């Protein structure tokens, strides 16, 4: 419920991650990772496979709870917060391997993103008349705006199970947008896409920030995209932070180059 | 040829979001209702009403209940029979405790009790999923079965252990008990089932139904949209058990007239589950198809030879019946694993573009 949250000035930290350590049994997924995300920026999280990037997003979301460290969101520490609470506090998310509701149409998937904003109770839902129907129509109008924005009018009524991969990713982005998040976490939004689709997606990401003022944190493997889109980049390797800075700084950091290309022995 | 939406332009979201957005569908529903209200009472004899229509409608309601839980919310349950039993016993107890209140009120209220019981047995669903949950709901089935047999209070300590529908009337016409005509009972059952179908259909087409389907399709993403899983699943259990409970109460009061505890055994649960699977998971019309297929078809087959004056031993008919119905189940599930409702949807889609499907 974005409207219920006080606005946050551009450049102020919206989310701080402090000394996060997360392990599963004996496996350390994250070790002492700290960074921050400033309001209005595009923040990239990169690293080789298995570096702990998705685990990091899961910690921010509340799917995982770290053993050590805390996540400070809008100035309040939110250890132990559940995913649905994160949603209430304006954090949206897409998944690496598309997590759409496959039995529902594109329209219903995006409507699903509006769930929290619908308030009519059980009684009116039973009648689907008057206030409940009006509410549904109001939200449909919002959803149509998002459908227009993402240029997916033609697949409005298609069950998402039948859509090609690139469009699924776009629908998922639409679903996250329908939540009107203040902070949007994108987990590999361009994985498995061709050049044209990547360009489209990059354009959407920039447009989202431009139009809705959304802060974006994204994980991506395509370095060209990361360097072009992001304001700041944090690099993880084996669960540790090895670099943090602007794309130029990170690109020329010898530790990062070693992590990606391997070092000579 | 006649089933076509050409020229039906929708200029409002309300029209586009209607449950039957195509005009021919709305006409079709009106015709079906007309048949059910006018034509069937005129042509059908007492046997058709009492043995096909009334139980068919009662089972439809139970199937809608299970479909909400299994088809829409994705939680498999094998306790439907027991939840129907809870409704039946609740209606029996209340109707005998407060005879001055109309029996229809008690039948509708009986579902509240089974909803409560359903919620209790739905609690494990947060941790247990799929087939394991089905086994957990078996516990409900066996525990409640035991209660119906052992707890004498439920049957008002009747010596036979059975419950009986009391004599009650509506507007001076007997609707339950031995004096009630099949026609009167049919109208009451039809009215209640149509009303409750309307409610169920509204629920699944709105926010709550969408929440259920979100939980069914991808629970982690649902959480991320702000859905709290346990309340969403428990609501599905409550609504589903409510429908099952009302169906159970109607089964005793309008169809059987009396029932022993064994009527609400595990075989009833399976029967309703088969209706839902054959009819189509996650479909309202599928619940009707499923109930018609599993209940009405065997009855029709059983009496077809008599209709043509062919003399066959009833045992032979019984065997042939099982074979035919079994073969049809296999046939339909191979042709369309998603049930008769999907078959119906495919047919409609084909009709829409006929005769130029490209």
């Amino acid at each position: 419920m974005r409207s219920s949250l006080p606005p946050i000035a551009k450049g102020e930290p919206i989310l701080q991650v402090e000394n996060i350590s997360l392990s599963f049994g004996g496996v350390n997924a994250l070790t002492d990772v700290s960074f921050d995300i400033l309001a209005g920026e595009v923040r990239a999280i990169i690293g080789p496979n298995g570096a702990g990037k998705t685990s990091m997003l899961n910690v921010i979301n509340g799917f995982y709870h770290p053993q050590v460290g805390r996540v400070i969101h809008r100035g309040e520490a939110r250890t132990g917060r559940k995913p649905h609470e994160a949603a209430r506090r304006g954090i949206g998310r897409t998944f690496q391997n598309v997590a759409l509701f496959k039995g529902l149409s594109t329209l219903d998937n995006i409507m699903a993103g509006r769930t929290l904003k619908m308030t009519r109770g059980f009684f009116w839902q039973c009648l689907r008349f008057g206030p409940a129907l009006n509410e549904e129509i109001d939200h449909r109008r919002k959803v149509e705006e998002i459908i227009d924005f993402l240029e997916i009018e033609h697949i409005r009524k298609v069950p998402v199970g039948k859509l090609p991969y690139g469009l699924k990713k776009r629908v998922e982005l639409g679903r996250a947008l329908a939540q009107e998040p203040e902070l949007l976490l994108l987990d590999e939004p361009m994985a498995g896409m061709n050049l044209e689709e990547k360009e489209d997606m990059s354009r959407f990401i920039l447009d989202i920030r431009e139009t809705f003022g959304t802060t974006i944190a994204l994980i991506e493997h395509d370095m060209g995209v990361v360097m072009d889109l992001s304001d700041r980049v944090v690099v993880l390797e084996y669960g540790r932070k090895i670099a943090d800075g602007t794309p130029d700084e990170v690109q020329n950091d010898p530790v990062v180059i070693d992590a990606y290309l391997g070092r000579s022995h | 040829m006649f089933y076509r939406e050409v020229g039906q332009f929708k200029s409002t979201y309300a029209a586009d979001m209607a449950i039957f957005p195509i005009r021919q569908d709305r006409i079709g529903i009106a015709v079906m209702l007309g048949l059910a209200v006018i034509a069937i009472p005129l042509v059908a004899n007492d046997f058709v009403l009492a043995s096909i229509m009334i139980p068919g409608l009662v089972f439809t309601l139970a199937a809608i209940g299970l479909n909400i839980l299994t088809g829409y919310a994705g939680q498999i349950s094998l306790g439907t029979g027991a939840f129907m039993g809870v409704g039946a016993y609740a209606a029996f107890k209340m109707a005998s405790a407060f005879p001055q209140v109309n029996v229809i009120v008690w039948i509708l209220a009986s579902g509240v009790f089974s909803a409560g019981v359903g919620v209790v047995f739905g609690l494990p669903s947060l941790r247990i999923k799929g087939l394991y949950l089905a086994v957990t709901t078996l516990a409900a089935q066996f525990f409640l079965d035991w209660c119906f047999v052992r707890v004498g209070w439920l049957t008002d300590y009747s010596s036979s252990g059975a419950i009986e529908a009391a004599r009650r009337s509506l507007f001076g016409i007997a609707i339950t008990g031995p004096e009630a005509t099949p026609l009167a009972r049919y109208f009451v059952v039809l009215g209640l089932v149509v009303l409750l179908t309307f409610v169920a259909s509204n629920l699944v087409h709105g926010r709550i139904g969408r929440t259920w389907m979100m939980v069914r399709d991808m629970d982690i993403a649902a959480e991320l949209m702000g859905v709290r899983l346990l309340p969403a699943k428990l609501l599905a259990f409550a609504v589903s058990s409510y429908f099952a409970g009302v169906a159970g109460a109607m089964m005793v009061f309008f169809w059987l007239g009396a029932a022993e505890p064994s009527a609400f055994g595990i075989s009833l649960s399976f029967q309703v589950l088969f209706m839902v699977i054959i009819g189509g998971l996650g479909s309202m019309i599928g619940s009707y198809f499923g109930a018609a297929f599993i209940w009405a078809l065997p009855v029709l087959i059983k009496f077809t030879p008599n209709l043509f004056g062919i003399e066959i031993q009833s045992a032979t008919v019984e065997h042939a019946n099982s074979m035919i119905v079994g073969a049809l189940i296999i046939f339909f599930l191979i042709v369309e694993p998603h049930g008769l409702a999907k078959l119906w949807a495919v047919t409609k889609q084909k009709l829409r573009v006929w005769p130029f499907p490209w």
Side-chain angles (χ1 to χ4, degrees):
Chain A
M1 311 252 167
R2 195 177 188 179
S3 49
S4 63
L5 299 173
I8 189 160
K10 265 201 166 58
E12 292 288 305
I14 185 169
L15 186 109
Q16 288 150 296
V17 177
E18 282 182 358
N19 311 101
I20 295 282
S21 292
L22 173 75
S23 61
F24 301 104
V27 184
N28 293 322
L30 293 168
T31 315
D32 199 25
V33 179
S34 307
F35 64 88
D36 60 352
I37 300 171
L38 305 181
E41 74 173 343
V42 176
R43 183 72 146 132
I45 303 171
I46 64 169
N49 283 325
K53 305 180 295 288
T54 301
S55 300
M56 192 68 242
L57 287 199
N58 284 342
V59 166
I60 294 175
N61 252 149
F63 281 120
Y64 296 161
H65 298 294
Q67 281 83 10
V68 184
R70 53 188 195 154
V71 179
I72 302 169
H73 177 228
R74 295 181 134 269
E76 59 186 272
R78 34 180 299 266
T79 10
R81 193 178 266 179
K82 299 259 166 45
H84 63 83
E85 289 163 328
R88 260 168 230 278
R89 300 285 288 169
I91 299 181
R93 158 96 189 255
T94 69
F95 290 85
Q96 184 175 356
N97 32 16
V98 187
L100 286 171
F101 307 118
K102 59 182 186 309
L104 302 182
S105 65
T106 299
L107 187 65
D108 280 329
N109 264 280
I110 302 180
M111 283 292 272
R114 308 284 306 171
T115 305
L116 267 187
K117 303 194 183 300
M118 297 193 173
T119 52
R120 287 294 164 187
F122 189 77
F123 172 74
W124 286 111
Q125 296 291 340
C126 284
L127 296 180
R128 200 176 186 267
F129 175 74
L133 191 60
N134 291 339
E135 182 185 61
E136 195 95 344
I137 290 166
D138 288 344
H139 288 285
R140 169 77 188 264
R141 203 165 285 134
K142 277 274 181 203
V143 166
E144 289 292 338
E145 282 170 20
I146 290 164
I147 288 178
D148 281 350
F149 180 83
L150 294 175
E151 299 161 18
I152 45 176
E153 294 91 343
H154 58 295
I155 54 165
R156 198 183 274 134
K157 297 266 170 91
V158 181
V160 291
K162 289 182 179 169
L163 293 177
Y165 184 73
L167 282 177
K168 277 186 189 165
K169 283 271 188 190
R170 215 187 280 186
V171 174
E172 206 190 6
L173 181 64
R175 188 182 66 182
L177 276 185
Q179 291 179 276
E180 296 182 24
E182 181 184 62
L183 172 62
L184 183 57
L185 312 173
L186 304 175
D187 196 348
E188 300 202 19
M190 286 158 231
M193 290 188 168
N194 62 29
L195 184 63
E196 197 187 332
E197 288 171 326
K198 278 184 185 175
E199 282 172 351
D200 278 348
M201 192 51 99
S202 306
R203 188 161 50 81
F204 287 133
I205 291 173
L206 292 177
D207 280 353
I208 286 166
R209 181 169 66 156
E210 197 75 12
T211 319
F212 306 110
T214 312
T215 309
I216 292 165
L218 86 158
I219 293 177
E220 188 46 60
H221 276 298
D222 186 319
M223 284 307 129
V225 169
V226 169
M227 298 305 157
D228 285 349
L229 284 187
S230 50
D231 299 314
R232 290 192 305 151
V233 183
V234 54
V235 190
L236 300 179
E237 191 198 15
Y238 297 121
R240 289 171 191 280
K241 185 171 92 165
I242 57 169
D244 190 351
T246 63
D248 284 337
E249 286 166 16
V250 167
Q251 234 167 349
N252 300 317
D253 191 326
V255 185
V256 176
I257 297 170
D258 284 349
Y260 271 90
L261 300 178
R263 39 182 88 76
S264 53
H265 292 285
Chain B
M1 191 159 32
F2 303 107
Y3 189 74
R4 188 169 287 180
E5 54 187 282
V6 174
Q8 299 181 31
F9 300 109
K10 297 168 195 103
S11 51
T12 61
Y13 288 133
D16 192 45
M17 287 156 70
I19 289 170
F20 298 109
I22 301 175
R23 190 189 301 134
Q24 284 86 334
D25 278 342
R26 293 194 290 270
I27 295 170
I29 289 292
V31 169
M32 289 302 292
L33 267 179
L35 283 177
V37 175
I38 300 160
I40 289 181
L42 283 180
V43 297
N45 55 21
D46 280 1
F47 168 75
V48 171
L49 287 176
S51 309
I52 297 179
M53 292 312 293
I54 292 175
L57 285 168
V58 168
F59 274 120
T60 301
L61 191 63
I64 288 175
L66 184 60
N67 220 332
I68 286 174
L69 186 62
T70 305
Y72 286 94
Q75 314 295 312
I76 305 175
S77 165
L78 290 176
T80 321
F83 296 140
M84 288 172 78
V86 173
Y89 281 85
F92 168 74
K93 285 299 281 187
M94 289 191 295
S96 49
F98 306 97
Q100 61 278 25
V101 181
N102 196 293
V103 70
I104 291 182
V105 173
W106 291 134
I107 283 175
L108 286 173
S110 66
V112 177
F113 289 84
S114 54
V117 174
V119 166
V120 172
F121 284 99
L123 280 171
S125 66
L126 184 68
R127 298 278 167 198
I128 306 171
K129 286 174 186 164
L131 289 172
Y132 299 94
L133 180 66
V135 176
T136 327
T137 55
L138 266 184
Q141 179 70 49
F142 290 129
F143 173 70
L144 291 168
D145 257 359
W146 179 86
C147 289
F148 300 150
V149 178
R150 299 288 166 197
V151 182
W153 177 79
L154 285 175
T155 56
D156 282 348
Y157 304 100
S158 101
S159 52
S160 61
I163 51 172
E164 228 174 90
R167 296 187 167 90
R168 296 285 184 272
S169 55
L170 178 69
F171 305 128
I173 301 163
I175 53 169
T176 65
E179 287 89 21
T181 59
L183 193 62
R185 288 186 281 145
Y186 169 72
F187 273 119
V188 176
V189 170
L190 181 69
L192 286 174
V193 172
V194 168
L195 172 79
L196 288 170
T197 306
F198 174 73
V199 169
S201 158
N202 285 340
L203 271 181
V204 299
H205 282 89
R207 169 179 65 89
I208 291 175
R210 207 177 297 120
T211 310
W212 287 336
M213 290 187 269
M214 286 158 74
V215 172
R216 173 192 71 189
D217 283 351
M218 190 63 76
D219 50 359
I220 52 164
E223 268 188 285
L224 211 70
M225 304 286 120
V227 174
R228 285 182 298 155
L229 293 184
L230 189 61
K233 287 177 180 177
L234 290 186
L235 183 63
F237 266 97
V239 174
S240 161
S241 308
Y242 177 85
F243 278 79
V246 173
M250 280 168 42
M251 183 171 146
V252 172
F253 278 80
F254 298 122
W255 171 28
L256 298 173
E260 293 182 357
S262 60
F264 304 106
I266 182 99
S267 56
L268 181 64
S269 295
F270 277 120
Q271 207 170 11
V272 178
L273 185 65
F274 294 154
M275 286 173 188
V276 171
I277 292 173
I278 299 278
L281 288 166
S283 160
M284 280 294 140
I285 191 96
S287 307
Y288 280 83
F289 287 152
F293 187 88
I294 300 278
W295 180 262
L297 193 68
V299 179
L300 281 180
I301 294 173
K302 200 190 293 184
F303 291 95
T304 312
N306 285 1
L307 233 64
F308 293 102
I310 306 165
E311 292 288 330
I312 310 177
Q313 281 190 325
S314 62
T316 320
V317 177
E318 208 54 58
H319 292 310
N321 198 351
S322 307
M323 282 157 63
I324 295 171
V325 173
L328 279 174
I329 288 176
I330 295 171
F331 172 75
F332 276 119
L333 286 184
I334 289 173
V335 172
E336 184 51 70
H338 294 115
L340 299 172
K342 180 76 184 186
L343 217 55
W344 174 244
V346 169
T347 314
K348 284 208 296 187
Q349 181 58 27
K350 288 222 158 88
L351 275 176
R352 264 178 66 201
V353 291
W354 189 84
F356 303 112
W358 50 83

